[in-house]
Amino acid sequence: MLSLSVPLDVLLKNLTEERLITPLDRHFALELAALEQENSEIFVIIAALLSHQLSSQHTCLPLAQIDFNNPFKQQVSQIKMTLDAEQLTAQLQQFNAIGSADEHKPLILDNGRLYLQRYFHFERSIADKLNRLSQQKNSIDNTELSTMLAELYPQQQGTIDWQKVATATAACQNLAVITGGPGTGKTTTVTKLLLLLCQQQTPVIKLVAPTGKAAARLSESIKASKQRLQQDLVGQVSSLDLNALKLVPEEASTLHRLLGVIPNSHKFRHDSHNPLRLDLLVVDEASMVDLPMMYKLLDALPPHAKLILLGDQDQLASVEAGAVLADICQGLYHPQNKSWQMRYSPQQSQQLSQLSGYDLSQYAQSHSGLGDSLCMLMHSHRFQGDAGIGQLANAVNKASASDIKQVWQQGYQELSWFNHHGKGLQNRGLKSLLNQAVEQYSLYLTQIHNDDIEPQTIINSYNQYRILAAMRAGDYGVDGINQSVTNALKQAKLIQPNQEFYLGRPIIIQSNDYNLGLFNGDIGIILADKAANNRLMAYFIQADGQILKVLPARLPSHETCYAMTVHKSQGSEFATVALVLPPFPSLSQWQLLTKELIYTAITRAKSHFSCLGNKKVFETASLQITKRASGLAKDYGKQLMLNSK
């Protein structure tokens, strides 16, 4: 059944040295085997595989996906397993440490997938909670709601306004999942929804996002949406009380702050025993919420509350295990034509047709599951239909090599390409990127010497441009690019980096500090405090738009931020974005270069996108689709019918 060409301890040591598993994977497998008194080689190997799955952001190990000839993908396999998934399942069921769904064992084997017990619990609990929420319908006056929707969304001839349908969906359900790409109007839609819900009642509404940066962005967007609505609707509506806009909150917080952090504990103050005090929770950038955090959030949600998830299912998934938003939306994706399509129950289709004025009968299905709670927004208001950024984002999202090539060949003004040519600082493409960085960053670095310009203006100028890197280490990672840009700005006499904290240095926070109110991903700039004899301080714009000043010596862990990772850029947008790709990716770097990463980088740009790389790497990465192993959209999806056809 199993044979090793080297002893087990040597095999694990070799796998660790080859970076095919982590030291944690090795330690977990050996410790679990010792604790459970399982001395089988196959148990240790499967435990190491499972641990490695988790460190690769999968929530489980599907046995059918194991390559039995070379499970760890070694150059020369040191393992030979003469069995298939069915035989392996039978053998694993003999181990005392592995139980079934209703047993409390360290590992759970369920429907061909092996889990750590707590991740199995997370998935099943999330599925149950979403299922219950989706079945909770709100009693509404269809005629009154239809009238208000008509005033919020004037009828468009020939096309369905999915923002209107999404608003109607969320008004009818206790669960609403509103997804779509950048500029499709997710925040505008939810602002109109909140205006509707505040017409005759004053619900307790909370706005949250996974990071401080995303929360600040959500606050800005809600505030701007309220102002636009006030201007657009005043004098134009009769059934809506625009004073209700005052009840729509503008300040968003992080998920951690909402749930209540307990120092030195993985638990939060709010859970099922101490639920959140709210009637409606809006979660932005839901694609960034990992499986454990989604479980804790749903666990703390009071039974009567409405939940609205906003996000882009095509963006990068969470840094930790799971891809909850993508799993929820999976049942609406058609792989054949690579498109999304709504799927409603006949009852929901009829009600939404009545409320919106559109004929939605073509989307009725006998089994819709969560479809009644889902709505995809497909029209981008940020990118014009023929704009280069939108065209490139669509081509990458479809993983179409021919479309990607065609877009780059069109010569769009919004797109620039810097080709790797040469090595090190002699790389002509890198020189072009650094010239761009000097030009773009010169505005804010000039403003810092003008006493009449406020810190908010300086930070906003800095945020017009950002370099995004696929990885952290190396000459073409965040570390190397930050150093290259620092040197280029110094040569241009725009900065004087002769000490750690110098005037104009941008910084990104690397860890949470709840006492200071600074969180992982927050970005600020070192500026002179005019009120304190030009003493250098770190300036940050908070979620409420106010300035936070912090002594540099008190800052939590941080680093320079002329360049940042694509992951850290989620929830942000910049006028101009430059993506940096390595010229010759290593095997570990290729694991980071995916369609979702390229798409996320492109869609951070509003006006211009450029890329330093070679087009073969760009195209290959765009075809590499992230697939995270999960049971949420599969067997637990039978409850939710997320993937029913």
Side-chain angles (χ1 to χ4, degrees), residues 389-401:
I389 296 174
Q391 292 289 332
L392 184 61
N394 289 334
V396 169
N397 204 21
K398 291 192 296 183
S400 171

Side-chain angles (χ1 to χ4, degrees), residues 398-568:
K398 291 192 296 183
S400 171
S402 58
D403 287 357
I404 292 169
K405 289 178 181 177
Q406 186 176 8
V407 171
W408 281 116
Q409 291 169 356
Q410 293 299 312
Y412 288 106
Q413 291 183 344
E414 303 94 341
L415 302 176
S416 298
W417 185 267
F418 304 138
N419 201 54
H420 283 300
H421 190 85
K423 294 183 178 180
L425 294 178
Q426 302 307 311
N427 184 331
R428 291 207 292 265
L430 178 59
K431 286 184 178 179
S432 298
L433 174 71
L434 295 177
N435 289 338
Q436 182 192 69
V438 169
E439 178 184 354
Q440 292 287 333
Y441 283 139
S442 63
L443 174 59
Y444 96 87
L445 289 172
T446 302
Q447 290 175 339
I448 63 177
H449 301 289
N450 188 334
D451 291 342
D452 296 329
I453 298 180
E454 295 297 321
Q456 287 98 329
T457 302
I458 296 172
I459 295 174
N460 289 335
S461 296
Y462 157 74
N463 281 329
Q464 293 300 300
Y465 175 73
R466 193 72 80 251
I467 301 173
L468 305 180
M471 61 267 321
R472 294 192 50 80
D475 292 341
Y476 299 100
V478 169
D479 297 341
I481 294 297
N482 269 326
Q483 187 58 56
S484 295
V485 173
T486 299
N487 294 337
L489 294 174
K490 180 181 179 181
Q491 290 178 4
K493 301 188 185 322
L494 290 169
I495 59 172
Q496 296 179 354
N498 47 14
Q499 56 187 14
E500 180 183 2
F501 298 107
Y502 56 86
L503 189 65
R505 180 193 175 198
I507 56 174
I508 182 168
I509 300 300
Q510 300 290 81
S511 61
N512 297 333
D513 188 319
Y514 292 92
N515 293 322
L516 289 176
L518 290 175
F519 303 94
N520 187 5
D522 285 352
I523 294 175
I525 301 178
I526 304 297
L527 299 173
D529 186 356
K530 290 176 284 189
N533 295 321
N534 289 327
R535 183 178 186 177
L536 292 182
M537 300 285 284
Y539 282 71
F540 300 85
I541 297 180
Q542 297 177 290
D544 60 1
Q546 299 299 308
I547 284 290
L548 172 67
K549 293 190 292 185
V550 179
L551 282 169
R554 294 191 63 199
L555 289 171
S557 59
H558 59 275
E559 63 180 23
T560 300
C561 189
Y562 296 114
M564 61 194 297
T565 62
V566 178
H567 281 84
K568 286 286 181 73

Side-chain angles (χ1 to χ4, degrees), residues 128-431:
D128 289 343
K129 186 73 173 185
L130 291 175
N131 191 39
R132 287 197 299 271
L133 277 170
S134 69
Q135 293 173 357
Q136 295 173 3
K137 312 291 183 180
N138 297 323
S139 58
I140 57 174
D141 184 325
N142 282 359
T143 302
E144 182 181 9
L145 180 56
S146 179
T147 301
M148 290 191 288
L149 285 169
E151 291 190 339
L152 279 176
Y153 300 96
Q155 198 78 0
Q156 299 178 4
Q157 295 296 326
T159 59
I160 295 175
D161 186 345
W162 288 107
Q163 290 188 28
K164 185 177 184 180
V165 176
T167 304
T169 300
C172 299
Q173 308 280 133
N174 265 16
L175 172 67
V177 183
I178 302 173
T179 73
T184 51
K186 296 185 290 293
T187 308
T188 300
T189 301
V190 83
T191 306
K192 291 182 177 181
L193 168 67
L194 297 181
L195 172 60
L196 285 180
L197 296 178
C198 291
Q199 289 299 301
Q200 297 176 341
Q201 52 184 322
T202 55
V204 178
I205 302 169
K206 296 293 184 182
L207 310 174
V208 294
T211 66
K213 178 160 46 59
R217 177 64 188 155
L218 176 59
S219 296
E220 294 169 8
S221 299
I222 291 287
K223 189 179 298 184
S225 294
K226 287 175 63 175
Q227 292 173 350
R228 285 196 304 269
L229 274 181
Q230 183 71 44
Q231 295 170 358
D232 294 345
L233 298 179
V234 65
Q236 303 296 317
V237 296
S238 57
S239 66
L240 289 165
D241 179 6
L242 293 184
N243 288 321
L245 275 173
K246 297 176 183 177
L247 302 176
V248 176
E250 296 176 356
E251 185 173 347
S253 71
T254 63
L255 289 171
H256 287 78
R257 184 176 289 278
L258 174 77
L259 292 173
V261 172
I262 300 175
N264 303 316
S265 173
H266 67 279
K267 295 183 178 180
F268 292 101
R269 300 188 190 280
H270 291 287
D271 55 20
S272 58
H273 303 292
N274 179 29
L276 295 162
R277 291 157 181 80
L278 53 80
D279 302 307
L280 171 59
L281 178 62
V282 178
V283 183
D284 196 18
E285 298 293 343
S287 64
M288 299 171 65
V289 183
D290 57 54
L291 187 80
M293 179 57 77
M294 185 64 77
Y295 164 77
K296 293 172 183 176
L297 183 67
L298 293 177
D299 188 50
L301 202 65
H304 72 281
K306 290 174 68 74
L307 174 66
I308 300 174
L309 301 178
L310 306 176
D312 184 349
Q313 73 282 348
D314 293 317
Q315 278 192 33
L316 281 166
S318 57
V319 176
E320 302 300 330
V324 179
L325 184 66
D327 283 342
I328 291 173
C329 298
Q330 189 180 96
L332 304 187
Y333 185 68
H334 290 254
Q336 291 79 12
N337 53 21
K338 297 182 179 179
S339 66
W340 301 94
Q341 182 175 312
M342 302 307 109
R343 295 173 61 242
Y344 302 119
S345 67
Q347 297 83 359
Q348 181 76 337
S349 172
Q350 182 178 0
Q351 183 175 31
L352 291 179
S353 295
Q354 179 182 347
L355 292 172
S356 67
Y358 301 113
D359 181 7
L360 302 175
S361 59
Q362 61 180 310
Y363 302 111
Q365 302 278 335
S366 58
H367 298 288
S368 63
L370 281 189
D372 283 358
S373 296
L374 299 181
C375 195
M376 305 272 180
L377 306 181
M378 304 182 190
H379 176 68
S380 176
H381 302 275
R382 182 186 301 178
F383 310 127
Q384 297 297 322
D386 57 352
I389 296 174
Q391 292 289 332
L392 184 61
N394 289 334
V396 169
N397 204 21
K398 291 192 296 183
S400 171
S402 58
D403 287 357
I404 292 169
K405 289 178 181 177
Q406 186 176 8
V407 171
W408 281 116
Q409 291 169 356
Q410 293 299 312
Y412 288 106
Q413 291 183 344
E414 303 94 341
L415 302 176
S416 298
W417 185 267
F418 304 138
N419 201 54
H420 283 300
H421 190 85
K423 294 183 178 180
L425 294 178
Q426 302 307 311
N427 184 331
R428 291 207 292 265
L430 178 59
K431 286 184 178 179

